[in-house]
Amino acid sequence: MAQLARQLYLDGAPLKEIARRTGLKPSQVYYWIDREVASDGTVTLKPAARRVTLAPGTRSAVPARGHLLSRLWRAAERQLDEIEQRLAAAVPPEADAPAGPPRPAADAEKDARALAVLARTLRELSALEAEAQKSRKVKAEDDAVRDLDTFRRELARRLDRLRADGAGAEPAE
C-alpha cells in the first residue's frame, strides 16, 4: 500500500485518487510518499518532490500581493520576538537577582542593526499596505462608475432604437 501510494504520486496521480485506491487518509498519503519501502520491509526516508497544484481559476503559482505582505509581516514579527527573547534573557528580572552571563557587545550591536532594519521594513510594509488598500478602493469605485455609465449608454441606445423602429409607441398586447 505504501509503495503503491508513492508510485502513484510519482506517476502524477491526484491525491484524492491515491487516497481512494490505497485507502489512506490524505495526511497518510503525504507520509508514505516521503518514504521508500524496500523488499525486505525496511522503511527509509526519501522525500519525493512536491507538485505545485493550482486552484481552479488561479492563473499562476505566484502568491497574491496581500498574501506576500502578510507573510512579510509574520516574518518581521518572528524576528522581533527573537530579539525580545534575547534581550529578556540578558536582563535579570529583579534588580537584586544575579545577572546572567554578560552579552557580548557584538551581539548587542547586531540586534540594534536588526531592529533598525526591521523598523524600516515595517514602515515600508505599512506604506505598501496603505497603497494596496487605496488602489483597491479606487478600482472598486472606478468599476462601479464605469459599469453604471456603460449601462446608461446601452439603455439610451436601446431606447433610441425602439423610438426609431416605432415598436415602443403602442402598448404590447
Side-chain angles (χ1 to χ4, degrees):
M1 175 169 37
Q3 287 174 325
L4 177 62
R6 181 176 172 83
Q7 189 56 48
L8 288 170
Y9 185 83
L10 293 174
D11 290 342
L15 288 177
K16 286 183 180 180
E17 175 68 17
I18 297 170
R20 186 185 65 75
R21 288 183 60 186
T22 60
L24 297 171
K25 296 178 187 172
S27 60
Q28 293 171 324
V29 170
Y30 277 114
Y31 177 85
W32 285 110
I33 62 173
D34 286 337
R35 282 147 182 84
E36 197 167 75
V37 181
S39 58
D40 63 352
T42 58
V43 178
T44 57
L45 181 64
K46 191 173 181 184
R50 293 288 190 257
R51 298 186 302 232
V52 176
T53 56
L54 302 175
T58 305
R59 285 185 283 170
S60 72
V62 177
R65 182 177 183 171
H67 180 67
L68 185 59
L69 285 175
S70 66
R71 287 178 54 202
L72 286 170
W73 272 108
R74 285 193 306 271
E77 288 172 355
R78 278 193 309 270
Q79 177 100 23
L80 188 58
D81 288 343
E82 289 174 10
I83 292 171
E84 286 175 345
Q85 288 174 359
R86 281 198 300 274
L87 288 173
V91 176
E94 295 108 23
D96 59 343
R103 270 182 84 199
D107 285 349
E109 186 178 332
K110 181 177 132 185
D111 284 346
R113 267 191 259 124
L115 281 172
V117 169
L118 191 57
R120 185 177 36 209
T121 302
L122 293 176
R123 186 174 53 247
E124 290 173 5
L125 282 173
S126 295
L128 284 172
E129 278 186 337
E131 179 185 320
Q133 287 176 350
K134 182 180 174 184
S135 68
R136 279 193 300 268
K137 183 179 176 184
V138 168
K139 184 180 180 330
E141 290 172 357
D142 286 349
D143 288 347
V145 170
R146 190 176 313 120
D147 289 344
L148 188 57
D149 289 342
T150 304
F151 173 74
R152 287 179 181 154
R153 282 192 297 273
E154 181 62 27
L155 183 60
R157 259 188 255 122
R158 287 185 184 187
L159 288 172
D160 288 342
R161 264 187 283 161
L162 286 173
R163 261 188 247 124
D165 292 344
E170 299 295 321
E173 292 183 21

